[in-house]
Amino acid sequence: MKKNIIAMNASIMIGLGSILAAPSVYAESISNLEKQKESIQEKRSGVESNISDTEKKIDNLQDKQMTAEDQIAALEAKIAESAKKIDAKNAEITQTKKEIEALKEEIKVLKERIAKRNEVLKERALSFQETGGDVNYLEVLFGSSSFGDLVDRVGAVATIAEADRDILKQHELDKKDLEEKQKAVETKLASLEVAKAELLEIQKQQKQQKQEKDALVKKLKQQTKKHEDEKMGLEEEKANLAAQEKAIKSAISLEHQRLAELEAARKKAAAEAKKRAEQEAAQAAAQAASQASQASETKKQSTSSGYSAKSNSSSSSSSQSSQSSSNVSQAPAVSSGTFTRPSAGYVSSTMGERWNKQHAGIDIAASGTVPVVAAADGVVSRSYFSSTYGNVVFVTHSIGGQQWTTVYAHLSSRQVGEGAVVAKGQQVGIMGNTGHSFGQHLHFELHKGPWNYSKSNAVNPLNYIPN
């Protein structure tokens, strides 16, 4: 009998030991969650700093873009002014060319006049050669019939001589005038052509500068767009980190609640164990006192009691075995591993490079109304509509002190809100085709740690969920 009491006390102590040991496990879990919360807060601070830096870069790029656009406007004005000047030079060149054509007609007349004079001069020179020059004039003079006739002939000779001199003089003047006009017009045309060439070169340089500025503006716009996209991603990461911090706080609260419940259960179990020990000790003492006189009857009572307990146990077992768990319609059965499959269907795309971008998860496709379930116990950190993910749910998990994040994207509808506590296999939405999606499917991501914009914590879900 004493051995039975010792064995019973030992089993009670073992039970109490397991209850007493449990709080330390929960305390360790809370400690890990607190560390995860601090890590998320640090990351949020870093992301906020990155957002600030990105905003400064965007402001700087926009300032450069505005400066470049102002310079382009100034260059366009200069190009327009150069075009006006070139048009004016073209008009002057056209007018000068008309003057040249008119001068050609004058030159033609002058050349004819000079040619005639040359003929007269040639005849006069030939006459000089034949008569000896002045002899003709003497003959003219000596051939006069009277004094009046002599005077007339002397006047005529003087007139002819003067005419010869005028012809020679005019001949020289016409030639000189012709040369000067030709030179002036040619100089003017050459000057206009040089001025036009200079204006064309200036305009060419201005257009080249404008092209360079246009290219700079285009580049600045591309850089601005890149930083704006980066800022949007960082802001989304900031929002996700804030939601994850909130989820971690909720998990810590749940752990504290469980710890409090466990502490209450521990105290209650300890009190009940003490009471049972006292009752058993009293019963053992009473049984020892009356053992000699009531041995046979006690034995019968003990056997009857054993059969009754066994019968009750069997009945309870049968009742429990009759209960069955029901799964969500069309959802895969909840597996025994750390993570269960999030939906029915086939894997239409795996993790890796796709369309020159990193595909950070897997796609599971199926037709009809397909439930999507949580891959593990956790807290919904985000539930919203994203331009890329569409309807998406983020769930934060704390498993063995390690934080995990699962993402369920392109849902047709979401059935859980932020802060909700979900169980493994609990439905979170319906498979759909929202956001940047081509055909109905579930985009599922698994991150060992928090989700971030670069998705550096993403791991291949196929290594963790049942195929």
Side-chain angles (χ1 to χ4, degrees):
M1 193 63 176
K2 194 177 288 184
K3 289 181 180 179
N4 290 337
I5 294 171
I6 293 170
M8 179 185 62
N9 288 335
S11 65
I12 291 170
M13 291 304 294
I14 290 170
L16 283 172
S18 62
I19 293 172
L20 288 168
S24 64
V25 174
Y26 279 94
E28 184 179 356
S29 177
I30 291 171
S31 175
N32 289 331
L33 288 170
E34 290 286 356
K35 289 177 182 177
Q36 290 174 20
K37 185 181 76 172
E38 291 173 2
S39 175
I40 288 172
Q41 288 172 340
E42 289 177 3
K43 287 176 181 176
R44 276 186 66 191
S45 177
V47 168
E48 287 171 355
S49 176
N50 289 337
I51 290 173
S52 177
D53 291 342
T54 304
E55 286 174 343
K56 289 177 182 177
K57 289 177 183 177
I58 291 171
D59 290 341
N60 184 39
L61 286 168
Q62 288 176 340
D63 288 342
K64 288 181 179 179
Q65 185 177 323
M66 289 178 64
T67 301
E69 287 173 347
D70 290 342
Q71 291 172 345
I72 287 170
L75 283 168
E76 286 175 343
K78 288 180 180 179
I79 290 168
E81 184 65 25
S82 297
K84 288 181 181 178
K85 289 180 180 178
I86 290 168
D87 289 341
K89 291 298 175 188
N90 282 330
E92 287 185 55
I93 289 170
T94 301
Q95 182 60 34
T96 303
K97 286 181 178 179
K98 288 181 180 178
E99 292 174 7
I100 289 171
E101 291 299 321
L103 185 60
K104 283 181 180 178
E105 292 298 321
E106 291 182 24
I107 289 169
K108 184 178 178 182
V109 172
L110 282 171
K111 283 182 177 179
E112 289 175 356
R113 193 181 300 164
I114 289 169
K116 287 179 181 179
R117 287 178 187 148
N118 282 335
E119 289 298 324
V120 172
L121 290 173
K122 283 179 183 178
E123 289 176 3
R124 194 67 55 112
L126 181 61
S127 175
F128 285 165
Q129 289 176 358
E130 291 175 349
T131 62
D134 293 337
V135 176
N136 285 333
Y137 295 114
L138 291 175
E139 287 179 353
V140 170
L141 292 173
F142 287 134
S144 59
S145 59
S146 64
F147 180 76
D149 185 27
L150 175 63
V151 171
D152 290 337
R153 290 189 179 220
V154 169
V157 168
T159 301
I160 292 169
E162 184 65 28
D164 288 342
R165 285 194 295 272
D166 288 343
I167 288 171
L168 289 171
K169 184 178 179 181
Q170 188 63 45
H171 189 62
E172 291 299 325
L173 287 173
D174 286 345
K175 286 176 68 177
K176 184 178 180 182
D177 184 52
L178 176 62
E179 290 173 355
E180 287 177 352
K181 284 184 177 180
Q182 282 183 322
K183 186 176 180 181
V185 172
E186 288 171 357
T187 301
K188 182 179 179 181
L189 181 61
S191 175
L192 288 171
E193 293 289 355
V194 169
K196 179 184 175 181
E198 289 175 351
L199 286 170
L200 287 171
E201 181 62 28
I202 290 170
Q203 189 183 57
K204 180 182 176 182
Q205 291 175 0
Q206 290 169 343
K207 287 181 177 179
Q208 185 176 354
Q209 290 173 357
K210 182 180 179 296
Q211 287 177 349
E212 291 172 355
K213 294 297 179 184
D214 286 337
L216 175 62
V217 169
K218 183 179 179 181
K219 183 179 179 182
L220 290 170
K221 285 181 178 178
Q222 289 173 343
Q223 290 177 343
T224 302
K225 178 67 168 56
K226 179 184 175 183
H227 287 304
E228 284 174 345
D229 290 343
E230 183 180 346
K231 180 187 173 185
M232 286 178 63
L234 288 169
E235 286 175 342
E236 187 170 4
E237 182 176 353
K238 177 185 174 183
N240 280 325
L241 286 170
Q244 288 182 21
E245 183 181 350
K246 185 178 178 181
I248 291 292
K249 287 179 180 177
S250 176
I252 291 171
S253 176
L254 288 172
E255 291 296 303
H256 279 295
Q257 183 180 343
R258 287 174 187 154
L259 186 58
E261 291 172 354
L262 189 62
E263 180 64 17
R266 183 188 67 79
K267 289 179 179 179
K268 183 179 178 181
E272 289 177 352
K274 182 179 179 182
K275 184 177 179 181
R276 282 198 303 271
E278 290 174 351
Q279 289 175 350
E280 291 292 342
Q283 288 176 3
Q287 287 175 358
S290 60
Q291 185 175 7
S293 61
Q294 299 178 353
S296 59
E297 188 176 348
T298 302
K299 186 175 180 181
K300 290 178 182 179
Q301 290 177 355
S302 297
T303 303
S304 175
S305 176
Y307 283 133
S308 176
K310 194 176 291 184
S311 175
N312 289 338
S313 174
S314 173
S315 175
S316 174
S317 224
S318 173
S319 175
Q320 288 176 1
S321 65
S322 67
Q323 296 177 357
S324 60
S325 59
S326 60
N327 294 324
V328 179
S329 177
Q330 298 181 14
V334 178
S335 64
S336 59
T338 304
F339 296 99
T340 193
R341 189 179 177 88
S343 77
Y346 67 95
V347 177
S348 59
S349 182
T350 57
M351 182 174 177
E353 189 77 15
R354 189 176 74 172
W355 304 329
N356 296 322
K357 290 179 70 177
Q358 179 67 16
H359 188 233
I362 62 171
D363 293 342
I364 301 175
S367 59
T369 303
V370 184
V372 175
V373 302
D377 296 345
V379 178
V380 177
S381 53
R382 292 210 75 187
S383 177
Y384 71 114
F385 185 86
S386 162
S387 59
T388 52
Y389 281 137
N391 279 313
V392 60
V393 172
F394 287 69
V395 178
T396 298
H397 315 271
S398 180
I399 302 171
Q402 171 65 51
Q403 180 186 347
W404 297 81
T405 306
T406 50
V407 180
Y408 312 80
H410 307 315
L411 304 174
S412 64
S413 63
R414 294 171 278 118
Q415 297 181 354
V416 289
E418 293 181 5
V421 179
V422 294
K424 183 180 182 181
Q426 179 180 333
Q427 188 169 339
V428 296
I430 300 292
M431 185 185 292
N433 186 29
T434 58
H436 190 65
S437 170
F438 304 96
Q440 178 171 296
H441 70 284
L442 167 68
H443 176 73
F444 177 68
E445 294 178 12
L446 178 61
H447 300 261
K448 193 173 184 179
W451 181 95
N452 57 52
Y453 177 66
S454 62
K455 301 183 182 180
S456 58
N457 291 332
V459 294
N460 190 350
L462 294 178
N463 294 334
Y464 295 88
I465 66 171
N467 292 329

